[in-house]
Amino acid sequence: MQANATLATLLDVPRSALVQRPFSDLVARADQDIWYRLRRHPLGPDMTHAVELRLRQGAGARAGACGGEGPSVWVQLTATVSRDDVNQPVLHIAVSNISKLKQAEQDLRCSQQTLARSNADLRRFSEITAHHLQEPARRMASYADLLGRQLAGKHDDPELQMSLDFIAQQARYQQNLLRDVQRYLAADQPLGQLEWVDASAVAAQVVEKLADRLAASGACLTVGELPPVWFDAARLGDVFELLIDNALRHGAGPAKPATGPTELPDDQAGDEIGDAARPLQIRIDGECAGNLLRLRVSDNGPGIEPQYRERVFRPFERLQSGGDGTGIGLALVRRIAESGGGSAWIEASPDGGCSVVLELPQAKASP
């Protein structure tokens, strides 16, 4: 019935060519169903309904529904209904040009696809590289051990023995480092079906696996009541193992002054077993907070000063030198947590050490 000059300019047709025509003539063929659903949508007073579709421009708009498609423009149609002077319903349509927005969305999709392909290629390359580097590291460790056995009792040169021990130690470190790099790259992918996991049972399995190491360290580990976790059991077990390993490396004893993180490829905060006179106490517990679940592994070790608690989650960060760790443990824990929409952080432990907290959203109601 009516059309303003702005719409005529947008469609590149004379204003007179729009009046007394079905609006469907202007809608691109591919979007006719969208227009049909808009017309069928019930509208009452003070109600609006908006859709996005393409309108024909130029010759295509002048030709109408039977003409060629030609160029088109993306628009948003916002429909409202009012009453005229004789109380008949009148459909009003506001037409907004969103072609730039649609182009930006398309560019973003293309960029995301390109980035996803690049990330997949980089991840695959990293995994293959780590895999192929494992074999020379294994051979180096094997031949260093073989050479050590062949020379056993045949020399009394302490420097020679130190060199042999260093080669063997570095070869094993490289094997562990490559293993953990592979684990880090794959940490965001579930290792099994996502389901309700009995966290207490998973923790008990990890404790049994580490029983010899716990006994050798003299540490006492207790597991409190843990709520069920919506996760995959394999990676949840990895989290418990990594955090117990971190606590054992952190050790017990009087707090040591932090010297600041370094970039050396060593383990995360604390690598030494502390003062044996102060037995290491490790506790695993958990709690639900609304729709969030928190698992906490605490110890009575030296702790970590607040200014360093975030930095130790970066790969290869450490607070003290020494040890045979790879420095990826806490980074792995956070990567696993973030893959499930959660997070991980460090806070002070009631026993004077530190607590590593794993927080996960519970998307489903607990059984």
Side-chain angles (χ1 to χ4, degrees):
M1 295 172 58
Q2 296 181 23
N4 64 9
T6 302
L7 179 61
T9 301
L10 175 64
L11 301 182
D12 190 24
V13 295
R15 185 176 176 182
S16 59
L18 298 175
V19 180
Q20 302 301 318
R21 287 182 59 188
F23 193 86
S24 58
D25 284 0
L26 306 175
V27 179
R29 287 196 191 99
D31 298 337
Q32 287 288 337
D33 286 346
I34 300 176
W35 167 247
Y36 175 77
R37 289 193 296 270
L38 172 64
R39 290 297 311 270
R40 300 285 295 176
H41 189 83
L43 287 173
D46 301 323
M47 293 178 60
T48 63
H49 184 61
V51 297
E52 296 177 357
L53 50 70
R54 286 159 290 186
L55 295 181
R56 302 176 180 188
Q57 289 181 299
R62 289 192 291 271
C66 297
E69 278 292 288
S72 62
V73 59
W74 274 101
V75 298
Q76 182 185 66
L77 304 183
T78 304
T80 60
V81 173
S82 64
R83 296 283 175 173
D84 62 12
D85 295 339
V86 293
N87 202 34
Q88 292 298 311
V90 178
L91 179 64
H92 295 267
I93 299 175
V95 182
S96 304
N97 185 351
I98 60 170
S99 55
K100 291 184 178 180
L101 175 61
K102 284 295 182 179
Q103 183 61 48
E105 290 177 352
Q106 182 178 350
D107 293 344
L108 178 60
R109 284 194 296 271
C110 290
S111 297
Q112 289 173 334
Q113 292 171 356
T114 301
L115 180 61
R117 286 194 297 269
S118 298
N119 285 342
D121 291 343
L122 180 60
R123 177 175 174 175
R124 179 62 178 161
F125 176 78
S126 301
E127 290 173 346
I128 292 174
T129 301
H131 174 75
H132 283 284
L133 289 175
Q134 279 283 5
E135 183 58 20
R138 185 192 67 80
R139 290 182 180 181
M140 188 177 0
S142 297
Y143 277 97
D145 291 340
L146 176 61
L147 184 58
R149 290 193 298 270
Q150 290 174 338
L151 294 178
K154 298 180 180 179
H155 72 89
D156 57 359
D157 186 346
E159 291 189 3
L160 175 60
Q161 187 60 47
M162 183 177 67
S163 297
L164 284 173
D165 293 343
F166 181 77
I167 292 172
Q169 186 270 334
Q170 288 299 300
R172 287 189 290 271
Y173 171 76
Q174 185 177 2
Q175 285 182 294
N176 293 336
L177 182 62
L178 292 170
R179 177 206 63 202
D180 284 354
V181 166
Q182 289 178 301
R183 293 174 68 189
Y184 182 81
L185 290 171
D188 60 339
Q189 300 298 318
L191 298 177
Q193 182 179 356
L194 293 177
E195 58 186 355
W196 284 110
V197 177
D198 185 344
S200 297
V202 173
Q205 292 173 0
V206 173
V207 172
E208 182 178 358
K209 178 181 177 181
L210 299 176
D212 291 343
R213 187 176 173 194
L214 288 165
S217 69
C220 176
L221 191 150
T222 58
V223 180
E225 184 175 351
L226 303 179
V229 183
W230 182 257
F231 217 64
D232 56 292
R235 287 192 303 164
L236 183 62
D238 287 344
V239 167
F240 285 135
E241 185 172 350
L242 288 164
L243 294 183
I244 294 172
D245 175 80
N246 182 73
L248 289 171
R249 293 181 188 280
H250 193 278
K256 303 178 182 65
T259 58
T262 72
E263 298 293 339
L264 295 178
D266 212 331
D267 206 348
Q268 58 270 5
D271 291 311
E272 306 172 47
I273 299 296
D275 185 357
R278 183 184 180 190
L280 177 63
Q281 302 286 333
I282 305 173
R283 178 172 176 80
I284 303 175
D285 56 22
E287 62 185 6
C288 292
N291 63 343
L292 297 175
L293 178 143
R294 295 192 183 108
L295 298 174
R296 185 178 285 102
V297 178
S298 307
D299 63 61
N300 63 338
I304 300 175
E305 294 185 25
Q307 63 267 35
Y308 301 129
R309 290 176 186 170
E310 179 62 26
R311 191 166 181 177
V312 293
F313 282 100
R314 300 176 187 174
F316 312 122
E317 289 281 354
R318 63 188 178 89
L319 294 184
Q320 296 174 350
S321 61
D324 58 355
T326 62
I328 301 180
L330 288 179
L332 261 170
V333 170
R334 174 167 283 183
R335 186 166 169 82
I336 291 173
E338 290 178 344
S339 73
S343 60
W345 66 87
I346 291 175
E347 58 188 29
S349 166
D351 296 325
C354 67
S355 297
V356 182
V357 183
L358 181 80
E359 183 178 79
L360 294 171
Q362 298 297 68
K364 296 178 176 289
S366 179

